[in-house]
Structure formats: C-alpha cells, structure tokens
Amino acid sequence: MENPDQFVQWLRSVAPYIHAFRGKTFVIAFPGELVKAGALPVLAQDLSLLHALGIKVVIVHGSRPQVEEQLALRNVEARFHNGLRITDAAAMECAKEAAGELRLDIEAAFSQGLPNTPMAGSTIRIISGNFVTARPMGVIEGVDLELTGVTRKIAYEAIHPILNAGGMVMLSPLGFSPTGEVFNLSMEDVAVTTATAIRADKLIFLSETPLMSNAAGDDIRELTSLQAERLLDRSELPPDVAFYLQHCVRATRHGVPRAHIVPYDIDGAALLEIFTHDGVGTMVSYENLESLRQATIEDVGGILKLIEPHEADGTLVKRPRELIEREIDHFSVIEHDGVIFGCAALYPFPGDKMAEMACLIVSPDAQTQGDGERLLKHMENRARADGLKKLFVLTTRTAHWFLKRGFVPATVDSLPKDRQSMYNWQRKSLVFVKNL
C-alpha cells in the first residue's frame, strides 16, 4: 500500500456514515443503459458492500435499450406519444424478453465470489417476484397507450421480511393486474412507488445523465423539493435530467427523506455519493421552507423572545432590538403556525472564506426534535452557497454539542483578523471550527 496513512484517514472519515446507515433501507434504481455500458459487475460489487455494512437494499432496474434491441430483432416499430412508449402485444413480448434477460444478468452479477475480488465471501440472495401491482395508463390525448401502465401498489408486507432476513429484492419495470395482465412500467415510477411504500431512507437513481448544473454552468449538489420544483418550472434542464428530478420531487413529497441523482459513469458512484460529504451527484431533500427560512423584520419580536432568557443567564451576549433589526438579514428562523421556536445567525468573512454562526437557539418546548441540527445544516448550506470554506462558533456552555457535530477546538488566532479584534476576553468563549 503506497499511502497507508491516507487509507486509515479515509476509513475513519466514513465510519460516521456506516454507523448512521446500518439498518437503513435504500432503493437503488438504474437504467438499462448502465447494463449496456458493462457497468453491472462493478455495481454489484458496490451494492454487495452496502449489504455487508448492514444496509437493506432494493434494486429496481430499467430496460429501455434492451427493449429497443428486442424490437429491432423482431422488426417491430417502436411507437411513442409524448415520450411514453405505446406498448402493444408485440412490444410487450419484447419487454418481457428484455426483463427476463436482465434479471438473469443481475442474478449472475451478484453470484460472483472469486477469491481476491470484492465479492469474495459474499452470500447474497436476490429475490424477485410479483411484488408490483399495476394498472393501465389508459388513453391520453386521444391515444391509447395499451399495455403501458403505472404502478398501483407495492407488496411492502412481503418485501420487508426478505430484507430483514438478509436478502436483496429486485424489481423489474413490469407490473401485474388482478386480472392477470402484465403492464410495461417506467423504472422511475416503480422506484418512487417502492421507496414510498417501504418507507425507504434513501432513493438513489444511478443515471446516464451528467451531474446537474444550472443555467450559469454551476454544479447543483443539493436542492430542497421546493427549489427543485422551481427549477423544473424554469425549464432550464435537459428533458432526461428533468424527468429524474420530477421523480425525486415526487418521492420526497411522499415521505422519502432523501432522493439522489448520481451519474453512473463515475467509478464507485454509489459509494462516493453515500460515504462522502459532498457526494458526486445531486441530492433532493424535503424541507418545509415555510418553517425553516431566512428571517424578516417581522420576526424581530419572536427572536427577542427566544434569546432574552439566554441573555439573562449569561449564555448569550445581550443584543438590543435595534441591533437585531439592523442584522436581520443574517438570521434564519424556524416557525410553526406563526410561532418562532428556533433561530440562528450567520456572519460571513469573505476575505478569509469563513463565517461565524451565532445565536443558535431552540425553544425548550421544541428541543430533542432535531431542530438545532436542522438550523446548523441550513447555516452550513448558506455558507457554502456564499463560497465559504469554514464555519466557526464561540460558545461558553455548549461545547459538547458542537464537538458531536464535527466542530474541532481552535484558538482565537484562528479567527479572521476582524473577528479577533472583537473577541471578548472577559467572557473567554471557546472557539470551534468546522470545515465545510
């Protein structure tokens, strides 16, 4: 090993993610293009590692290029309406053939076990079956889509025991009706409905599309569902990227905490997205922006009510109303039914690529619900959006809280020069810094 120290540091850095994700359920969906590109064996190795780390995995595969190949072999014309395949009886036979071949290829990939390979010693059982109930999509704009369908129900009560017993579940883009019909479904629809039904902790689309970017060409690493909807409304994205993003929004709106779009052409893309801080794709998360938002001048009274008890006991430096009014743009608040029960402020020092987070307060009535961490995450995102690299805090009584969330002790000398000159030596606040 050329650099053992680097390996040890990397292994230590991923340990928190391993602890956090053990026992969690991930739905990982990938298109038929991934298989066609020859990336299936490596993906199987990566997913087997997730399985070995105690993560429950449901696989959903697509089959579009494989269906196209079968259609070409049988001289059957592919027909579409507004991007949706019209699945007649001949096309359905092609879809069945493609799904059957892919199922065998995936099972073979997870049966690898040669010595000195990532799959050595793995004993993974892939279970598939009639877990997907579907219905016909019907007639759209006067066009009958025939055997093209949408997912109606997922047999979550049958999937959970398989996952709990250590198996993986594989779902194909086919569904069945109570009348015995088979319907051709989209991989994205099956994946979202499955993630919602089984209450998955993550939905990950391994996509043939590149990393998402905005109109200015900047990478988009993280979006709330509301931000994603606004981005879709502006029609700035390529159609295939927008299609994935629409399904991510749908998933987060229906209870999936995180949905990811990850380019599969990066080696180890799934592992990099899951076990590194910034990942290699775009994450969509559900966040009620009506409750966690930037403060306005109307919030000054609520902020004062929150911080006054902490000023009285010496935890916070006293801030008069006039100061908070002048600095209101630096504050963010959490509210519920018009009542503010959390706040924090961010003061950037652009020349030093640093920002100070101050006045992080959550009402005693709302503590232990994770709102302090939500505020911290929100402030970290605000700092990153401004191009800042480090976040620092000064505290006298909450050192352990910040240590548990990735901050490390520092000295006054590590602060920006302008902030050093304002340091209160009588309070002797402890300094903590976190790399963003």
Side-chain angles (χ1 to χ4, degrees), residues 104-151:
L104 293 174
D105 289 343
I106 293 169
E107 290 176 350
F110 279 94
S111 299
Q112 302 174 74
L114 291 175
N116 301 318
T117 70
M119 297 290 286
S122 65
T123 54
I124 301 174
R125 296 292 173 257
I126 302 292
I127 311 298
S128 59
N130 57 338
F131 299 123
V132 182
T133 302
R135 62 172 177 81
M137 192 169 286
V139 178
I140 297 179
E141 298 175 347
V143 178
D144 187 356
L145 297 179
E146 302 188 38
L147 294 174
T148 297
V150 293
T151 310

Side-chain angles (χ1 to χ4, degrees), residues 293-314:
R293 56 175 175 78
Q294 189 166 335
T296 66
I297 195 69
E298 288 79 13
D299 300 319
V300 171
I303 293 172
L304 283 170
K305 186 176 179 180
L306 266 181
I307 68 177
E308 281 173 351
H310 299 278
E311 292 175 342
D313 67 13

Side-chain angles (χ1 to χ4, degrees), residues 6 42 63 110 113 116 125 142 144 155 167 176 241 247 265 303 358 364 385 393 404 416:
Q6 186 179 29
V42 174
S63 61
F110 279 94
N116 301 318
R125 296 292 173 257
D144 187 356
F176 310 93
V241 176
H247 284 83
D265 61 354
I303 293 172
V393 296
K404 289 172 64 177

Side-chain angles (χ1 to χ4, degrees), residues 2 34 84 172 209 239 280 311 405:
E2 294 182 1
L34 181 147
L84 296 171
S172 298
T209 60
V280 293
E311 292 175 342
R405 285 152 183 86

